Amino acid sequence: MYDVVVVGGGPAGLSAALMLGRCRRRVLLCDLGQPRNRRASALHGYLTRDGIPPPELNERGRAELPRYGVEVRQLGVTSAHPVDGTSYRICLADGSHEDARFLLIATGVVDDVPGVKGFEECYGRSVFHCPYCDGWEWRDRRLAVFGRAAGGTHLALALKTWSKDVVLCTNGVRVDKGRREQLARNGVTVHTEKIDRLEHSDGKLTAILFASGDRIPRDVVFFTTGQHPQSPLATTLGCRLTHRGTVKTGSLCDTNVPRVFVAGDASRDAQFVVVAAAEGVKAAVAINQALQAEELQ
């Protein structure tokens, strides 16, 4: 019987496993090695680690776990089922199973990359979703936003912090008069035509080509087309979701399902690596306190 099974080995899961190990808990961490930011060349905004490649951060984190007795398996978790209200039976991808008193899900989310030709090739090189993560590197360049009216308008206006040259491309979706006027007042041009493809050279964007044949030179695209949980584990257990499609959690990463915690991008908080790491620690402390309460009875 493990005290905790942590599902997901990104910053949230690693931070949680580290803290739980330091609390002398028996911990199993399962990870498939498919983090959301695996296409990124560097992560940003993480004090003392700004600019580090995401795989290197995770490798350093995993290297710190053995001294605390944390077991790590490169293996997925297929399902989990409550047992007598005091533990969970965790089913693993190799057909085996383990039991744990608490379950911490830190599997993150997957961005819904637009299906327009060229997006997949440019994703992580000149196509991004987060201006806080990648806006600085593209400051004062020719920026484009791909998104529908509301989300696209919000992102386009936000990107004015990083560049004066921002256009919004809605790929066939109309933009109402009020939003058009707001965008125009702030110097954002709107293109509602269908996009044929992104023109690029080995993933480096050069222009956006529309179905009409028109093209506009651009250096980068930021998109806002939604996301979904990387793993269905939380929803199959009955965890409630927010309107954004992330798991609804309390201030300590707790969910509406007993003994199930969710930390990182799949939870309700801001989706940054540094926040995910902090959430992992918060969840670990909450789980340890719950274990203490049971043991001290």
Side-chain angles (χ1 to χ4, degrees), residues 44-73:
H44 299 286
Y46 197 134
L47 192 63
T48 77
R49 293 295 180 266
D50 188 69
I52 189 174
E56 184 178 339
L57 180 73
N58 293 342
E59 287 168 10
R60 290 189 185 189
R62 283 193 295 272
E64 294 175 350
L65 299 182
R67 77 186 74 166
Y68 299 112
V70 175
E71 182 182 348
V72 178
R73 299 185 199 175

PDB file of all heavy atoms in Angstrom, residues 44-73:
ATOM      1  N   HIS A  44      10.181  29.763 -19.355  1.00  0.00           N
ATOM      2  CA  HIS A  44      10.513  31.099 -18.864  1.00  0.00           C
ATOM      3  C   HIS A  44       9.665  31.465 -17.648  1.00  0.00           C
ATOM      4  O   HIS A  44       8.615  30.870 -17.395  1.00  0.00           O
ATOM      5  CB  HIS A  44      10.304  32.121 -19.972  1.00  0.00           C
ATOM      6  CG  HIS A  44      11.162  31.894 -21.176  1.00  0.00           C
ATOM      7  ND1 HIS A  44      12.517  32.173 -21.198  1.00  0.00           N
ATOM      8  CD2 HIS A  44      10.870  31.380 -22.395  1.00  0.00           C
ATOM      9  CE1 HIS A  44      13.011  31.848 -22.375  1.00  0.00           C
ATOM     10  NE2 HIS A  44      12.043  31.362 -23.130  1.00  0.00           N
ATOM     11  N   GLY A  45      10.165  32.447 -16.906  1.00  0.00           N
ATOM     12  CA  GLY A  45       9.438  32.949 -15.756  1.00  0.00           C
ATOM     13  C   GLY A  45       9.604  32.121 -14.500  1.00  0.00           C
ATOM     14  O   GLY A  45       8.882  32.322 -13.527  1.00  0.00           O
ATOM     15  N   TYR A  46      10.571  31.199 -14.501  1.00  0.00           N
ATOM     16  CA  TYR A  46      10.827  30.344 -13.344  1.00  0.00           C
ATOM     17  C   TYR A  46      12.146  30.824 -12.730  1.00  0.00           C
ATOM     18  O   TYR A  46      13.211  30.617 -13.296  1.00  0.00           O
ATOM     19  CB  TYR A  46      10.942  28.885 -13.801  1.00  0.00           C
ATOM     20  CG  TYR A  46      10.804  27.842 -12.711  1.00  0.00           C
ATOM     21  CD1 TYR A  46       9.997  26.739 -12.887  1.00  0.00           C
ATOM     22  CD2 TYR A  46      11.510  27.949 -11.515  1.00  0.00           C
ATOM     23  CE1 TYR A  46       9.866  25.758 -11.908  1.00  0.00           C
ATOM     24  CE2 TYR A  46      11.397  26.997 -10.526  1.00  0.00           C
ATOM     25  CZ  TYR A  46      10.584  25.898 -10.724  1.00  0.00           C
ATOM     26  OH  TYR A  46      10.461  24.937  -9.756  1.00  0.00           O
ATOM     27  N   LEU A  47      12.068  31.451 -11.571  1.00  0.00           N
ATOM     28  CA  LEU A  47      13.233  32.048 -10.940  1.00  0.00           C
ATOM     29  C   LEU A  47      14.370  31.042 -10.788  1.00  0.00           C
ATOM     30  O   LEU A  47      14.161  29.930 -10.298  1.00  0.00           O
ATOM     31  CB  LEU A  47      12.837  32.596  -9.564  1.00  0.00           C
ATOM     32  CG  LEU A  47      13.859  33.500  -8.865  1.00  0.00           C
ATOM     33  CD1 LEU A  47      14.096  34.765  -9.674  1.00  0.00           C
ATOM     34  CD2 LEU A  47      13.381  33.850  -7.465  1.00  0.00           C
ATOM     35  N   THR A  48      15.551  31.424 -11.224  1.00  0.00           N
ATOM     36  CA  THR A  48      16.806  30.661 -11.258  1.00  0.00           C
ATOM     37  C   THR A  48      16.842  29.607 -12.366  1.00  0.00           C
ATOM     38  O   THR A  48      17.874  28.979 -12.578  1.00  0.00           O
ATOM     39  CB  THR A  48      17.148  29.946  -9.919  1.00  0.00           C
ATOM     40  OG1 THR A  48      16.342  28.769  -9.768  1.00  0.00           O
ATOM     41  CG2 THR A  48      16.964  30.859  -8.721  1.00  0.00           C
ATOM     42  N   ARG A  49      15.734  29.400 -13.056  1.00  0.00           N
ATOM     43  CA  ARG A  49      15.696  28.395 -14.127  1.00  0.00           C
ATOM     44  C   ARG A  49      15.179  28.987 -15.438  1.00  0.00           C
ATOM     45  O   ARG A  49      14.820  28.256 -16.350  1.00  0.00           O
ATOM     46  CB  ARG A  49      14.811  27.209 -13.720  1.00  0.00           C
ATOM     47  CG  ARG A  49      15.373  26.374 -12.561  1.00  0.00           C
ATOM     48  CD  ARG A  49      16.659  25.691 -12.968  1.00  0.00           C
ATOM     49  NE  ARG A  49      17.220  24.882 -11.878  1.00  0.00           N
ATOM     50  CZ  ARG A  49      18.125  25.312 -11.017  1.00  0.00           C
ATOM     51  NH1 ARG A  49      18.583  26.563 -11.114  1.00  0.00           N
ATOM     52  NH2 ARG A  49      18.597  24.534 -10.075  1.00  0.00           N
ATOM     53  N   ASP A  50      15.143  30.307 -15.553  1.00  0.00           N
ATOM     54  CA  ASP A  50      14.637  30.955 -16.758  1.00  0.00           C
ATOM     55  C   ASP A  50      15.495  30.567 -17.962  1.00  0.00           C
ATOM     56  O   ASP A  50      16.718  30.697 -17.943  1.00  0.00           O
ATOM     57  CB  ASP A  50      14.655  32.477 -16.586  1.00  0.00           C
ATOM     58  CG  ASP A  50      13.956  33.197 -17.722  1.00  0.00           C
ATOM     59  OD1 ASP A  50      12.723  33.076 -17.818  1.00  0.00           O
ATOM     60  OD2 ASP A  50      14.646  33.856 -18.529  1.00  0.00           O
ATOM     61  N   GLY A  51      14.838  30.062 -19.005  1.00  0.00           N
ATOM     62  CA  GLY A  51      15.549  29.673 -20.225  1.00  0.00           C
ATOM     63  C   GLY A  51      15.991  28.229 -20.268  1.00  0.00           C
ATOM     64  O   GLY A  51      16.537  27.785 -21.286  1.00  0.00           O
ATOM     65  N   ILE A  52      15.747  27.465 -19.220  1.00  0.00           N
ATOM     66  CA  ILE A  52      16.169  26.061 -19.208  1.00  0.00           C
ATOM     67  C   ILE A  52      15.266  25.233 -20.121  1.00  0.00           C
ATOM     68  O   ILE A  52      14.056  25.465 -20.183  1.00  0.00           O
ATOM     69  CB  ILE A  52      16.130  25.498 -17.766  1.00  0.00           C
ATOM     70  CG1 ILE A  52      16.773  24.109 -17.685  1.00  0.00           C
ATOM     71  CG2 ILE A  52      14.701  25.430 -17.245  1.00  0.00           C
ATOM     72  CD1 ILE A  52      16.895  23.570 -16.261  1.00  0.00           C
ATOM     73  N   PRO A  53      15.810  24.276 -20.881  1.00  0.00           N
ATOM     74  CA  PRO A  53      14.955  23.389 -21.676  1.00  0.00           C
ATOM     75  C   PRO A  53      14.049  22.573 -20.756  1.00  0.00           C
ATOM     76  O   PRO A  53      14.509  22.061 -19.727  1.00  0.00           O
ATOM     77  CB  PRO A  53      15.959  22.490 -22.406  1.00  0.00           C
ATOM     78  CG  PRO A  53      17.229  23.272 -22.414  1.00  0.00           C
ATOM     79  CD  PRO A  53      17.242  24.041 -21.124  1.00  0.00           C
ATOM     80  N   PRO A  54      12.767  22.439 -21.069  1.00  0.00           N
ATOM     81  CA  PRO A  54      11.854  21.687 -20.206  1.00  0.00           C
ATOM     82  C   PRO A  54      12.319  20.282 -19.841  1.00  0.00           C
ATOM     83  O   PRO A  54      12.208  19.892 -18.672  1.00  0.00           O
ATOM     84  CB  PRO A  54      10.555  21.665 -21.019  1.00  0.00           C
ATOM     85  CG  PRO A  54      10.606  22.907 -21.832  1.00  0.00           C
ATOM     86  CD  PRO A  54      12.055  23.068 -22.200  1.00  0.00           C
ATOM     87  N   PRO A  55      12.868  19.492 -20.782  1.00  0.00           N
ATOM     88  CA  PRO A  55      13.324  18.150 -20.385  1.00  0.00           C
ATOM     89  C   PRO A  55      14.417  18.186 -19.322  1.00  0.00           C
ATOM     90  O   PRO A  55      14.479  17.313 -18.455  1.00  0.00           O
ATOM     91  CB  PRO A  55      13.842  17.549 -21.697  1.00  0.00           C
ATOM     92  CG  PRO A  55      13.154  18.308 -22.777  1.00  0.00           C
ATOM     93  CD  PRO A  55      13.016  19.695 -22.241  1.00  0.00           C
ATOM     94  N   GLU A  56      15.274  19.204 -19.386  1.00  0.00           N
ATOM     95  CA  GLU A  56      16.363  19.291 -18.407  1.00  0.00           C
ATOM     96  C   GLU A  56      15.818  19.572 -17.013  1.00  0.00           C
ATOM     97  O   GLU A  56      16.298  18.998 -16.014  1.00  0.00           O
ATOM     98  CB  GLU A  56      17.347  20.386 -18.807  1.00  0.00           C
ATOM     99  CG  GLU A  56      18.552  20.474 -17.877  1.00  0.00           C
ATOM    100  CD  GLU A  56      19.560  21.526 -18.295  1.00  0.00           C
ATOM    101  OE1 GLU A  56      19.554  21.923 -19.487  1.00  0.00           O
ATOM    102  OE2 GLU A  56      20.344  21.965 -17.429  1.00  0.00           O
ATOM    103  N   LEU A  57      14.815  20.444 -16.911  1.00  0.00           N
ATOM    104  CA  LEU A  57      14.203  20.707 -15.602  1.00  0.00           C
ATOM    105  C   LEU A  57      13.619  19.427 -15.021  1.00  0.00           C
ATOM    106  O   LEU A  57      13.817  19.111 -13.835  1.00  0.00           O
ATOM    107  CB  LEU A  57      13.115  21.766 -15.731  1.00  0.00           C
ATOM    108  CG  LEU A  57      12.404  22.120 -14.422  1.00  0.00           C
ATOM    109  CD1 LEU A  57      13.301  22.934 -13.507  1.00  0.00           C
ATOM    110  CD2 LEU A  57      11.103  22.879 -14.683  1.00  0.00           C
ATOM    111  N   ASN A  58      12.900  18.668 -15.852  1.00  0.00           N
ATOM    112  CA  ASN A  58      12.288  17.431 -15.363  1.00  0.00           C
ATOM    113  C   ASN A  58      13.333  16.390 -14.984  1.00  0.00           C
ATOM    114  O   ASN A  58      13.168  15.662 -13.998  1.00  0.00           O
ATOM    115  CB  ASN A  58      11.335  16.876 -16.423  1.00  0.00           C
ATOM    116  CG  ASN A  58      10.122  17.765 -16.630  1.00  0.00           C
ATOM    117  OD1 ASN A  58       9.809  18.608 -15.792  1.00  0.00           O
ATOM    118  ND2 ASN A  58       9.427  17.594 -17.738  1.00  0.00           N
ATOM    119  N   GLU A  59      14.411  16.318 -15.762  1.00  0.00           N
ATOM    120  CA  GLU A  59      15.477  15.362 -15.445  1.00  0.00           C
ATOM    121  C   GLU A  59      16.128  15.700 -14.103  1.00  0.00           C
ATOM    122  O   GLU A  59      16.421  14.816 -13.290  1.00  0.00           O
ATOM    123  CB  GLU A  59      16.530  15.371 -16.558  1.00  0.00           C
ATOM    124  CG  GLU A  59      16.061  14.700 -17.846  1.00  0.00           C
ATOM    125  CD  GLU A  59      16.990  14.971 -19.008  1.00  0.00           C
ATOM    126  OE1 GLU A  59      18.103  15.528 -18.763  1.00  0.00           O
ATOM    127  OE2 GLU A  59      16.633  14.642 -20.151  1.00  0.00           O
ATOM    128  N   ARG A  60      16.359  16.980 -13.868  1.00  0.00           N
ATOM    129  CA  ARG A  60      16.935  17.394 -12.587  1.00  0.00           C
ATOM    130  C   ARG A  60      15.983  17.043 -11.446  1.00  0.00           C
ATOM    131  O   ARG A  60      16.416  16.612 -10.366  1.00  0.00           O
ATOM    132  CB  ARG A  60      17.202  18.899 -12.594  1.00  0.00           C
ATOM    133  CG  ARG A  60      18.329  19.347 -13.503  1.00  0.00           C
ATOM    134  CD  ARG A  60      18.651  20.811 -13.258  1.00  0.00           C
ATOM    135  NE  ARG A  60      19.651  21.338 -14.169  1.00  0.00           N
ATOM    136  CZ  ARG A  60      20.225  22.528 -14.048  1.00  0.00           C
ATOM    137  NH1 ARG A  60      19.865  23.321 -13.044  1.00  0.00           N
ATOM    138  NH2 ARG A  60      21.115  22.937 -14.909  1.00  0.00           N
ATOM    139  N   GLY A  61      14.700  17.244 -11.677  1.00  0.00           N
ATOM    140  CA  GLY A  61      13.722  16.928 -10.649  1.00  0.00           C
ATOM    141  C   GLY A  61      13.689  15.445 -10.319  1.00  0.00           C
ATOM    142  O   GLY A  61      13.670  15.061  -9.140  1.00  0.00           O
ATOM    143  N   ARG A  62      13.689  14.604 -11.360  1.00  0.00           N
ATOM    144  CA  ARG A  62      13.675  13.149 -11.124  1.00  0.00           C
ATOM    145  C   ARG A  62      14.925  12.689 -10.370  1.00  0.00           C
ATOM    146  O   ARG A  62      14.862  11.771  -9.549  1.00  0.00           O
ATOM    147  CB  ARG A  62      13.554  12.407 -12.455  1.00  0.00           C
ATOM    148  CG  ARG A  62      12.151  12.419 -13.045  1.00  0.00           C
ATOM    149  CD  ARG A  62      12.030  11.416 -14.171  1.00  0.00           C
ATOM    150  NE  ARG A  62      12.868  11.761 -15.303  1.00  0.00           N
ATOM    151  CZ  ARG A  62      12.507  12.552 -16.298  1.00  0.00           C
ATOM    152  NH1 ARG A  62      11.282  13.077 -16.316  1.00  0.00           N
ATOM    153  NH2 ARG A  62      13.332  12.816 -17.306  1.00  0.00           N
ATOM    154  N   ALA A  63      16.053  13.341 -10.645  1.00  0.00           N
ATOM    155  CA  ALA A  63      17.306  12.945 -10.000  1.00  0.00           C
ATOM    156  C   ALA A  63      17.292  13.217  -8.501  1.00  0.00           C
ATOM    157  O   ALA A  63      18.083  12.622  -7.757  1.00  0.00           O
ATOM    158  CB  ALA A  63      18.475  13.678 -10.650  1.00  0.00           C
ATOM    159  N   GLU A  64      16.423  14.100  -8.051  1.00  0.00           N
ATOM    160  CA  GLU A  64      16.362  14.442  -6.628  1.00  0.00           C
ATOM    161  C   GLU A  64      15.461  13.504  -5.826  1.00  0.00           C
ATOM    162  O   GLU A  64      15.462  13.549  -4.597  1.00  0.00           O
ATOM    163  CB  GLU A  64      15.870  15.881  -6.463  1.00  0.00           C
ATOM    164  CG  GLU A  64      16.846  16.918  -7.026  1.00  0.00           C
ATOM    165  CD  GLU A  64      16.288  18.327  -6.964  1.00  0.00           C
ATOM    166  OE1 GLU A  64      15.080  18.476  -6.658  1.00  0.00           O
ATOM    167  OE2 GLU A  64      17.054  19.275  -7.223  1.00  0.00           O
ATOM    168  N   LEU A  65      14.697  12.648  -6.487  1.00  0.00           N
ATOM    169  CA  LEU A  65      13.705  11.826  -5.788  1.00  0.00           C
ATOM    170  C   LEU A  65      14.256  10.575  -5.103  1.00  0.00           C
ATOM    171  O   LEU A  65      13.783  10.217  -4.020  1.00  0.00           O
ATOM    172  CB  LEU A  65      12.590  11.432  -6.766  1.00  0.00           C
ATOM    173  CG  LEU A  65      11.800  12.583  -7.394  1.00  0.00           C
ATOM    174  CD1 LEU A  65      10.698  12.033  -8.304  1.00  0.00           C
ATOM    175  CD2 LEU A  65      11.198  13.489  -6.334  1.00  0.00           C
ATOM    176  N   PRO A  66      15.220   9.860  -5.693  1.00  0.00           N
ATOM    177  CA  PRO A  66      15.645   8.590  -5.083  1.00  0.00           C
ATOM    178  C   PRO A  66      16.127   8.710  -3.644  1.00  0.00           C
ATOM    179  O   PRO A  66      15.917   7.803  -2.838  1.00  0.00           O
ATOM    180  CB  PRO A  66      16.769   8.117  -6.017  1.00  0.00           C
ATOM    181  CG  PRO A  66      16.450   8.737  -7.331  1.00  0.00           C
ATOM    182  CD  PRO A  66      15.869  10.068  -6.999  1.00  0.00           C
ATOM    183  N   ARG A  67      16.774   9.823  -3.296  1.00  0.00           N
ATOM    184  CA  ARG A  67      17.307   9.945  -1.932  1.00  0.00           C
ATOM    185  C   ARG A  67      16.191   9.953  -0.883  1.00  0.00           C
ATOM    186  O   ARG A  67      16.439   9.692   0.293  1.00  0.00           O
ATOM    187  CB  ARG A  67      18.141  11.216  -1.808  1.00  0.00           C
ATOM    188  CG  ARG A  67      17.345  12.507  -1.690  1.00  0.00           C
ATOM    189  CD  ARG A  67      18.191  13.737  -1.703  1.00  0.00           C
ATOM    190  NE  ARG A  67      18.702  14.017  -3.033  1.00  0.00           N
ATOM    191  CZ  ARG A  67      19.260  15.186  -3.381  1.00  0.00           C
ATOM    192  NH1 ARG A  67      19.396  16.135  -2.487  1.00  0.00           N
ATOM    193  NH2 ARG A  67      19.679  15.374  -4.601  1.00  0.00           N
ATOM    194  N   TYR A  68      14.964  10.242  -1.329  1.00  0.00           N
ATOM    195  CA  TYR A  68      13.826  10.255  -0.416  1.00  0.00           C
ATOM    196  C   TYR A  68      12.945   9.011  -0.567  1.00  0.00           C
ATOM    197  O   TYR A  68      11.842   8.961  -0.026  1.00  0.00           O
ATOM    198  CB  TYR A  68      12.995  11.520  -0.632  1.00  0.00           C
ATOM    199  CG  TYR A  68      13.774  12.781  -0.374  1.00  0.00           C
ATOM    200  CD1 TYR A  68      14.100  13.641  -1.424  1.00  0.00           C
ATOM    201  CD2 TYR A  68      14.220  13.099   0.904  1.00  0.00           C
ATOM    202  CE1 TYR A  68      14.831  14.791  -1.196  1.00  0.00           C
ATOM    203  CE2 TYR A  68      14.954  14.254   1.139  1.00  0.00           C
ATOM    204  CZ  TYR A  68      15.264  15.100   0.087  1.00  0.00           C
ATOM    205  OH  TYR A  68      16.008  16.245   0.322  1.00  0.00           O
ATOM    206  N   GLY A  69      13.437   8.042  -1.303  1.00  0.00           N
ATOM    207  CA  GLY A  69      12.721   6.782  -1.422  1.00  0.00           C
ATOM    208  C   GLY A  69      11.537   6.791  -2.360  1.00  0.00           C
ATOM    209  O   GLY A  69      10.737   5.849  -2.362  1.00  0.00           O
ATOM    210  N   VAL A  70      11.409   7.830  -3.181  1.00  0.00           N
ATOM    211  CA  VAL A  70      10.290   7.900  -4.136  1.00  0.00           C
ATOM    212  C   VAL A  70      10.561   6.949  -5.295  1.00  0.00           C
ATOM    213  O   VAL A  70      11.632   6.974  -5.906  1.00  0.00           O
ATOM    214  CB  VAL A  70      10.098   9.334  -4.657  1.00  0.00           C
ATOM    215  CG1 VAL A  70       9.015   9.369  -5.734  1.00  0.00           C
ATOM    216  CG2 VAL A  70       9.737  10.278  -3.514  1.00  0.00           C
ATOM    217  N   GLU A  71       9.589   6.124  -5.606  1.00  0.00           N
ATOM    218  CA  GLU A  71       9.709   5.186  -6.728  1.00  0.00           C
ATOM    219  C   GLU A  71       9.134   5.831  -7.984  1.00  0.00           C
ATOM    220  O   GLU A  71       8.047   6.410  -7.946  1.00  0.00           O
ATOM    221  CB  GLU A  71       8.954   3.899  -6.409  1.00  0.00           C
ATOM    222  CG  GLU A  71       9.059   2.846  -7.509  1.00  0.00           C
ATOM    223  CD  GLU A  71       8.272   1.588  -7.202  1.00  0.00           C
ATOM    224  OE1 GLU A  71       7.835   1.431  -6.033  1.00  0.00           O
ATOM    225  OE2 GLU A  71       8.072   0.775  -8.124  1.00  0.00           O
ATOM    226  N   VAL A  72       9.858   5.730  -9.083  1.00  0.00           N
ATOM    227  CA  VAL A  72       9.418   6.313 -10.351  1.00  0.00           C
ATOM    228  C   VAL A  72       9.296   5.213 -11.401  1.00  0.00           C
ATOM    229  O   VAL A  72      10.214   4.410 -11.564  1.00  0.00           O
ATOM    230  CB  VAL A  72      10.402   7.394 -10.851  1.00  0.00           C
ATOM    231  CG1 VAL A  72       9.947   7.962 -12.192  1.00  0.00           C
ATOM    232  CG2 VAL A  72      10.541   8.511  -9.825  1.00  0.00           C
ATOM    233  N   ARG A  73       8.159   5.180 -12.091  1.00  0.00           N
ATOM    234  CA  ARG A  73       7.965   4.235 -13.198  1.00  0.00           C
ATOM    235  C   ARG A  73       7.513   5.011 -14.436  1.00  0.00           C
ATOM    236  O   ARG A  73       6.614   5.842 -14.358  1.00  0.00           O
ATOM    237  CB  ARG A  73       6.900   3.196 -12.855  1.00  0.00           C
ATOM    238  CG  ARG A  73       7.222   2.332 -11.644  1.00  0.00           C
ATOM    239  CD  ARG A  73       6.181   1.257 -11.463  1.00  0.00           C
ATOM    240  NE  ARG A  73       6.184   0.693 -10.109  1.00  0.00           N
ATOM    241  CZ  ARG A  73       5.313  -0.191  -9.666  1.00  0.00           C
ATOM    242  NH1 ARG A  73       4.355  -0.639 -10.494  1.00  0.00           N
ATOM    243  NH2 ARG A  73       5.362  -0.640  -8.429  1.00  0.00           N
TER     244      ARG A  73
END
